[in-house]
Coordinates of all heavy atoms in Angstrom, one line a residue:
S82 N -74.6 27.9 49.0 CA -75.4 28.2 50.2 C -74.5 28.7 51.4 O -73.4 28.0 51.6 CB -76.1 26.8 50.6 OG -76.7 26.9 51.9
T83 N -74.8 29.9 51.9 CA -73.9 30.6 52.9 C -74.8 30.7 54.1 O -75.9 31.1 54.1 CB -73.4 31.9 52.4 OG1 -72.7 31.7 51.1 CG2 -72.6 32.6 53.4
N84 N -74.1 30.4 55.1 CA -74.8 30.7 56.6 C -74.7 32.2 56.9 O -73.6 32.7 57.1 CB -74.2 29.9 57.6 CG -74.8 29.9 59.0 OD1 -75.5 31.0 59.3 ND2 -74.7 29.0 59.8
P85 N -75.8 32.9 56.9 CA -75.7 34.3 57.1 C -75.2 34.7 58.6 O -74.8 35.9 58.8 CB -77.2 34.8 57.0 CG -77.8 33.7 56.1 CD -77.2 32.5 56.7
A86 N -75.4 33.8 59.5 CA -74.9 34.2 60.9 C -73.4 34.2 61.0 O -72.8 34.8 61.8 CB -75.5 33.1 61.8
V91 N -71.6 26.9 53.2 CA -72.1 25.5 53.8 C -72.1 24.5 52.8 O -71.7 23.4 52.9 CB -73.4 25.6 54.4 CG1 -73.9 24.3 54.9 CG2 -73.4 26.7 55.5
A92 N -72.4 24.9 51.5 CA -72.5 23.9 50.4 C -72.4 24.6 49.0 O -72.8 25.8 48.9 CB -73.8 23.1 50.6
F94 N -73.1 23.8 44.7 CA -73.8 22.9 43.9 C -73.5 23.4 42.4 O -73.5 24.6 42.1 CB -75.4 22.9 44.0 CG -75.7 22.6 45.4 CD1 -75.9 23.4 46.3 CD2 -76.1 21.2 45.6 CE1 -76.3 23.0 47.6 CE2 -76.5 20.8 47.0 CZ -76.6 21.8 47.9
L135 N -94.1 17.2 57.0 CA -93.6 18.6 57.5 C -93.5 18.7 59.1 O -92.5 19.1 59.6 CB -94.4 19.7 56.9 CG -94.2 19.8 55.4 CD1 -95.4 20.8 54.9 CD2 -92.9 20.5 55.0
R138 N -90.7 16.6 60.5 CA -89.4 17.1 60.2 C -89.2 18.5 60.5 O -88.4 19.3 60.0 CB -89.1 16.8 58.7 CG -89.1 15.4 58.4 CD -89.1 15.2 56.7 NE -89.1 13.8 56.4 CZ -89.2 13.4 55.0 NH1 -89.0 14.3 54.1 NH2 -89.4 12.1 54.8
K139 N -90.1 19.1 61.4 CA -90.2 20.5 61.5 C -88.8 21.1 62.1 O -88.4 22.1 61.7 CB -91.3 20.8 62.6 CG -91.5 22.3 62.9 CD -92.8 22.6 63.6 CE -93.0 22.0 64.9 NZ -94.2 22.4 65.6
T140 N -88.3 20.4 63.1 CA -87.0 20.9 63.6 C -86.0 20.8 62.6 O -85.0 21.6 62.4 CB -86.6 20.2 64.9 OG1 -87.6 20.4 65.8 CG2 -85.2 20.7 65.4
E141 N -85.9 19.7 61.8 CA -84.9 19.5 60.8 C -84.9 20.6 59.7 O -84.0 21.2 59.3 CB -85.0 18.1 60.1 CG -84.2 17.9 58.9 CD -84.6 16.6 58.1 OE1 -85.3 15.8 58.6 OE2 -84.2 16.5 56.9
Y142 N -86.2 20.8 59.3 CA -86.3 21.8 58.3 C -86.1 23.3 58.8 O -85.7 24.2 58.1 CB -87.7 21.6 57.5 CG -87.8 20.5 56.6 CD1 -89.0 19.9 56.4 CD2 -86.7 20.0 56.0 CE1 -89.2 18.8 55.7 CE2 -86.9 18.8 55.2 CZ -88.1 18.3 55.1 OH -88.2 17.1 54.2
G143 N -86.6 23.4 60.1 CA -86.5 24.7 60.7 C -84.9 25.1 60.8 O -84.5 26.2 60.5
T144 N -84.1 24.1 61.1 CA -82.7 24.3 61.2 C -82.2 24.7 60.0 O -81.2 25.5 59.8 CB -82.1 23.1 61.9 OG1 -82.6 22.8 63.2 CG2 -80.5 23.3 62.0
L145 N -82.6 24.0 58.9 CA -82.2 24.2 57.5 C -82.4 25.7 57.1 O -81.5 26.4 56.6 CB -82.8 23.3 56.5 CG -82.6 23.6 55.0 CD1 -81.1 23.5 54.7 CD2 -83.5 22.6 54.1
L146 N -83.6 26.3 57.5 CA -83.9 27.6 57.1 C -83.0 28.6 57.9 O -82.6 29.6 57.4 CB -85.5 27.9 57.5 CG -86.5 27.0 56.6 CD1 -87.9 27.6 57.0 CD2 -86.2 27.0 55.2
V147 N -82.8 28.3 59.2 CA -81.8 29.0 60.0 C -80.5 29.2 59.3 O -79.9 30.3 59.0 CB -81.8 28.5 61.4 CG1 -80.7 29.3 62.1 CG2 -83.1 28.7 62.1
E148 N -80.0 28.0 58.9 CA -78.7 28.0 58.3 C -78.6 28.5 57.0 O -77.5 29.1 56.6 CB -78.2 26.5 58.3 CG -78.0 25.8 59.6 CD -77.6 24.3 59.4 OE1 -77.8 23.8 58.4 OE2 -77.3 23.6 60.5
E149 N -79.7 28.6 56.3 CA -79.4 29.0 54.8 C -80.0 30.5 54.7 O -79.4 31.2 53.8 CB -80.4 28.1 54.0 CG -80.1 28.3 52.4 CD -80.2 27.0 51.6 OE1 -81.3 26.5 51.6 OE2 -79.3 26.5 51.1
M150 N -80.9 30.9 55.5 CA -81.2 32.4 55.3 C -81.3 33.2 56.6 O -81.6 34.4 56.5 CB -82.5 32.6 54.4 CG -83.9 32.0 55.0 SD -84.6 32.9 56.3 CE -84.7 34.6 55.7
G151 N -81.1 32.6 57.8 CA -80.8 33.3 58.9 C -82.0 33.6 59.7 O -81.9 34.4 60.7
K152 N -83.2 33.2 59.4 CA -84.4 33.6 60.3 C -84.2 32.8 61.7 O -83.7 31.7 61.8 CB -85.7 33.2 59.7 CG -86.0 31.7 59.6 CD -87.4 31.6 59.0 CE -87.4 31.8 57.5 NZ -88.6 32.9 57.3
P153 N -84.7 33.4 62.8 CA -84.7 32.8 64.0 C -85.4 31.4 64.0 O -86.4 31.2 63.4 CB -85.4 33.8 64.9 CG -85.2 35.1 64.3 CD -85.3 34.8 62.9
L154 N -84.9 30.6 64.8 CA -85.4 29.1 64.8 C -86.9 29.1 65.1 O -87.5 28.3 64.5 CB -84.6 28.3 65.8 CG -84.9 26.8 65.9 CD1 -84.8 26.1 64.6 CD2 -84.1 26.1 66.9
A157 N -88.6 29.9 62.2 CA -88.5 28.9 61.1 C -89.3 27.8 61.3 O -90.0 27.3 60.3 CB -87.0 28.5 61.0
E158 N -89.4 27.3 62.5 CA -90.2 26.1 62.7 C -91.7 26.5 62.6 O -92.6 25.7 62.1 CB -90.1 25.6 64.3 CG -88.7 25.0 64.3 CD -88.4 24.5 65.8 OE1 -89.2 25.0 66.7 OE2 -87.5 23.6 66.1
E160 N -92.8 28.6 60.4 CA -93.0 28.6 58.8 C -93.3 27.3 58.5 O -94.3 27.0 57.6 CB -91.8 29.1 58.2 CG -91.8 29.1 56.7 CD -90.7 29.7 56.0 OE1 -90.0 30.6 56.6 OE2 -90.4 29.4 54.8
V161 N -92.6 26.2 58.9 CA -92.9 24.8 58.5 C -94.3 24.4 59.0 O -95.0 23.7 58.2 CB -91.7 23.9 59.0 CG1 -92.1 22.4 58.7 CG2 -90.4 24.3 58.5
W207 N -86.1 34.1 48.5 CA -85.4 33.4 49.6 C -86.0 33.7 51.0 O -85.7 33.0 52.0 CB -83.9 33.7 49.6 CG -83.8 35.3 49.5 CD1 -83.6 36.0 48.4 CD2 -83.9 36.3 50.5 NE1 -83.5 37.3 48.7 CE2 -83.8 37.5 49.9 CE3 -84.1 36.1 51.8 CZ2 -83.7 38.7 50.7 CZ3 -84.1 37.3 52.6 CH2 -83.9 38.6 52.1
F209 N -88.8 33.5 52.6 CA -89.6 32.4 53.2 C -89.4 31.1 52.4 O -90.3 30.8 51.5 CB -91.1 32.8 53.4 CG -91.4 33.9 54.4 CD1 -91.4 35.2 53.9 CD2 -91.5 33.6 55.7 CE1 -91.7 36.3 54.9 CE2 -91.7 34.6 56.7 CZ -91.9 35.9 56.2
P210 N -88.3 30.4 52.5 CA -88.0 29.4 51.4 C -89.0 28.3 51.3 O -89.0 27.7 50.3 CB -86.6 29.0 52.0 CG -86.1 30.0 52.8 CD -87.2 30.6 53.5
F211 N -89.6 28.0 52.5 CA -90.7 27.0 52.3 C -92.1 27.6 52.1 O -92.8 27.1 51.3 CB -90.8 26.1 53.7 CG -89.8 24.9 53.6 CD1 -88.5 25.1 53.2 CD2 -90.2 23.7 54.1 CE1 -87.6 23.9 53.1 CE2 -89.4 22.6 54.0 CZ -88.1 22.7 53.6
H232 N -86.0 28.3 42.4 CA -85.9 29.0 43.7 C -84.8 30.0 43.6 O -83.9 29.9 42.8 CB -85.7 27.9 44.8 CG -86.5 28.3 46.1 ND1 -86.6 29.6 46.5 CD2 -87.0 27.5 47.1 CE1 -87.3 29.5 47.7 NE2 -87.5 28.3 48.0
N235 N -79.7 31.6 46.5 CA -79.0 31.5 47.8 C -79.7 30.4 48.8 O -79.2 30.3 49.8 CB -78.9 32.8 48.5 CG -80.1 33.5 48.8 OD1 -81.1 33.4 47.9 ND2 -80.3 34.1 49.9
V236 N -80.7 29.8 48.3 CA -81.3 28.7 49.2 C -81.4 27.4 48.4 O -82.5 26.8 48.4 CB -82.7 29.2 49.6 CG1 -82.6 30.3 50.8 CG2 -83.6 29.7 48.6
P237 N -80.2 26.9 47.9 CA -80.5 25.7 47.0 C -80.7 24.4 47.9 O -81.3 23.5 47.5 CB -79.1 25.6 46.5 CG -78.1 26.3 47.4 CD -79.0 27.5 47.8
R238 N -80.2 24.4 49.2 CA -80.5 23.2 50.0 C -82.0 23.2 50.3 O -82.6 22.0 50.3 CB -79.7 23.3 51.3 CG -78.3 23.2 51.1 CD -77.4 23.6 52.3 NE -77.7 22.7 53.4 CZ -77.6 23.1 54.6 NH1 -77.4 24.4 55.0 NH2 -77.8 22.2 55.6
S239 N -82.6 24.3 50.6 CA -84.0 24.3 50.8 C -84.8 23.9 49.5 O -85.9 23.1 49.6 CB -84.5 25.8 51.2 OG -83.9 26.2 52.5
A240 N -84.4 24.3 48.4 CA -85.1 23.9 47.2 C -85.0 22.4 46.9 O -86.0 21.9 46.6 CB -84.4 24.7 46.0
L241 N -83.9 21.8 47.2 CA -83.7 20.4 47.1 C -84.5 19.6 48.2 O -85.1 18.6 47.8 CB -82.2 20.0 47.1 CG -81.4 20.5 45.9 CD1 -79.9 20.2 46.2 CD2 -81.8 19.8 44.6
A242 N -84.6 20.2 49.4 CA -85.4 19.5 50.4 C -86.8 19.6 50.0 O -87.6 18.6 50.2 CB -85.1 20.2 51.7
L243 N -87.3 20.6 49.4 CA -88.6 20.7 48.9 C -89.0 19.6 47.9 O -90.0 18.9 48.1 CB -88.9 22.1 48.3 CG -89.1 23.2 49.4 CD1 -88.9 24.6 48.7 CD2 -90.4 23.0 50.2
E244 N -88.2 19.3 47.0 CA -88.4 18.3 46.0 C -88.5 17.0 46.7 O -89.3 16.2 46.4 CB -87.3 18.3 45.0 CG -87.5 17.2 43.8 CD -86.5 17.4 42.8 OE1 -86.6 18.1 41.8 OE2 -85.4 16.7 42.8
T245 N -87.6 16.7 47.6 CA -87.6 15.4 48.4 C -88.8 15.2 49.2 O -89.4 14.1 49.1 CB -86.4 15.5 49.2 OG1 -85.2 15.5 48.5 CG2 -86.4 14.1 50.0
V246 N -89.3 16.2 49.8 CA -90.4 16.0 50.7 C -91.8 15.8 49.9 O -92.7 15.0 50.2 CB -90.6 17.1 51.8 CG1 -91.1 18.4 51.1 CG2 -91.5 16.7 52.9
P372 N -79.3 33.0 65.2 CA -80.7 32.7 64.9 C -81.0 31.3 65.4 O -82.1 30.8 65.6 CB -80.8 32.8 63.5 CG -79.5 32.8 62.9 CD -78.7 33.3 63.9
I373 N -80.0 30.4 65.7 CA -80.3 29.0 66.1 C -80.7 29.0 67.6 O -81.2 28.0 68.1 CB -79.0 28.2 65.9 CG1 -79.4 26.7 65.9 CG2 -78.0 28.4 67.0 CD1 -80.3 26.3 64.6

Side-chain angles (χ1 to χ4, degrees):
S82 176
T83 301
N84 187 331
V91 177
F94 301 89
L135 289 170
R138 303 173 184 178
K139 181 165 66 175
T140 299
E141 173 191 344
Y142 290 150
T144 302
L145 172 59
L146 300 185
V147 171
E148 293 175 349
E149 195 150 58
M150 63 74 55
K152 72 173 70 234
L154 179 59
E158 290 179 344
E160 177 175 337
V161 178
W207 49 263
F209 291 92
F211 270 47
H232 219 324
N235 61 319
V236 290
R238 295 168 63 211
S239 296
L241 293 172
L243 287 163
E244 182 175 274
T245 297
V246 75
I373 204 65

